Amino acid sequence: MPPSSGPQTKQAPVAPKRRGRADERIHSEIYSAIINHQLRPATPLQEDALATAFGVSRTLIRKVLQQLSHEKLVELIPNKGAIVARPSVEEARQVFEARREIECILIRRLAATITDAEITGLRAAVEAEARAQEQGDKRRRLQLSGDFHRELASLAGNDVLKDFVHELVSRSSLVIALYESPGAVPCAYDEHKRIVDALAKRDGEDAARNMEHHLRHVEAQVDLSDVPARIDFKSLFRPLG
C-alpha cells in the first residue's frame, strides 16, 4: 500500500473573470449620452447625482469623468466640478480639418486592402442608416453615422490613426450638438453610400474625394461664424409706455 501523502487540501474554484466592470459600463453610458446629444455641451455632471444614479461611489464616478476628460468629452473645472465639454469655434474648425486629413489618408489605404465581405458589411451599415432616417430616429441615425466612420478607420489597419478618428468623431458630435444649424442633416447616408461604392471599385482617390466632400458637407451644416451679429436694439425693442 503506497504511503499516504497526508490530507489533501481542496482548492477553491477560480472565479471566472468579471466582464463589464462597473467603471467601463458607467463610462460607456455617459459616453453614449454625450455623443447622442442626451447630455448637451456645458451640462453639469455632478458627482453626487451620478453616483446616486448608478448606485456607486463618488470615487468611481470621478475616475470615469477623468477618463472622459482625457477623451476631450468632459471638462474638469477647478473648484466647480465637471461639465460636458463645450468646444470653441476654433476647436470645432480644427476637429473637422483633422478629420479630413486623417480619414482621407485611411480611406486611400483601405481601398487597397478591403475585402468583399467588408464591403458587404459597410453596405449593411448604410442601409441601417437609411432606415433610421426614414423612421425619423435621429438618435439612432447619429449613432450609426459615427459607427460608420469608426468602422472605416478600424478596417484601414492603422491602430494609431484609428484611435485619432474615434476621438475626433466623438468630438464632432459635441460640435454638432452645440453649433448645428436648424433643420440640418449632419451626416447623409447617401454620401456614405458613394464612399462605399468607390471602395467597392478599389478606387482610393475617388473614395478620398467623396470622403473630403462628405466631411466638408458635415462642417457646412454647423454654424461656426464667430463674429457676433450687430444688433439694432432700437429696431428690436420699443420704448416703455
Side-chain angles (χ1 to χ4, degrees), residues 147-212:
D147 288 347
F148 176 82
H149 287 270
R150 294 184 188 93
E151 179 64 11
L152 288 177
S154 297
L155 293 175
N158 185 311
D159 288 341
V160 174
L161 293 181
K162 175 197 72 176
D163 290 344
F164 286 151
V165 170
H166 283 216
E167 178 184 317
L168 290 168
V169 169
S170 299
R171 293 172 71 177
S172 297
S173 181
L174 279 178
V175 171
I176 291 167
L178 187 59
Y179 298 109
E180 183 178 21
S181 301
V185 180
C187 208
Y189 72 87
D190 58 324
E191 295 178 2
H192 286 174
K193 181 179 181 300
R194 285 194 283 273
I195 292 170
V196 177
D197 289 342
L199 288 173
K201 296 184 294 184
R202 276 61 177 182
D203 189 337
E205 290 307 313
D206 188 33
R209 280 192 298 270
N210 277 284
M211 177 63 80
E212 180 169 3

Side-chain angles (χ1 to χ4, degrees), residues 34-53:
I34 292 172
I35 67 171
N36 291 325
H37 301 177
Q38 294 170 286
L39 292 173
R40 304 280 296 181
T43 299
L45 300 170
Q46 300 97 337
E47 290 180 7
D48 285 342
L50 288 169
T52 299

Side-chain angles (χ1 to χ4, degrees), residues 96-97 99-101 104 186 191 209-222:
F96 283 116
E97 180 182 7
R99 283 193 64 178
R100 287 195 301 272
E101 294 295 328
C104 286
E191 295 178 2
R209 280 192 298 270
N210 277 284
M211 177 63 80
E212 180 169 3
H213 170 80
H214 168 57
L215 292 175
R216 288 191 181 278
H217 177 236
V218 174
E219 184 176 2
Q221 303 306 301
V222 297

Side-chain angles (χ1 to χ4, degrees), residues 32-181:
S32 295
I34 292 172
I35 67 171
N36 291 325
H37 301 177
Q38 294 170 286
L39 292 173
R40 304 280 296 181
T43 299
L45 300 170
Q46 300 97 337
E47 290 180 7
D48 285 342
L50 288 169
T52 299
F54 284 106
V56 297
S57 68
R58 288 180 57 188
T59 301
L60 190 54
I61 294 297
R62 191 175 300 119
K63 175 184 176 183
V64 171
L65 293 177
Q66 287 172 345
Q67 182 179 351
L68 289 165
S69 174
H70 290 317
E71 297 165 353
K72 310 298 183 184
L73 295 181
V74 164
E75 182 180 354
L76 301 178
I77 304 174
N79 303 319
K80 289 188 177 181
I83 63 171
V84 177
R86 184 183 176 92
S88 67
V89 166
E90 182 57 32
E91 181 183 347
R93 291 189 176 122
Q94 291 175 3
V95 165
F96 283 116
E97 180 182 7
R99 283 193 64 178
R100 287 195 301 272
E101 294 295 328
I102 295 174
E103 292 195 60
C104 286
I105 289 172
L106 288 177
I107 205 75
R108 288 189 183 93
R109 178 189 181 107
L110 179 57
T113 61
I114 195 164
T115 66
D116 290 341
E118 289 167 345
I119 291 290
T120 299
L122 291 172
R123 292 200 188 282
V126 172
E127 290 171 5
E129 283 187 71
R131 287 193 298 273
Q133 183 160 322
E134 290 166 1
Q135 295 165 1
D137 190 342
K138 182 178 180 180
R139 186 182 303 171
R140 175 71 173 157
R141 177 172 57 79
L142 286 169
Q143 180 67 52
L144 290 171
S145 174
D147 288 347
F148 176 82
H149 287 270
R150 294 184 188 93
E151 179 64 11
L152 288 177
S154 297
L155 293 175
N158 185 311
D159 288 341
V160 174
L161 293 181
K162 175 197 72 176
D163 290 344
F164 286 151
V165 170
H166 283 216
E167 178 184 317
L168 290 168
V169 169
S170 299
R171 293 172 71 177
S172 297
S173 181
L174 279 178
V175 171
I176 291 167
L178 187 59
Y179 298 109
E180 183 178 21
S181 301

Side-chain angles (χ1 to χ4, degrees), residues 228-239:
R230 292 183 178 274
I231 302 297
D232 182 355
F233 292 120
K234 288 185 177 180
S235 64
L236 185 62
F237 303 116
R238 292 182 300 174

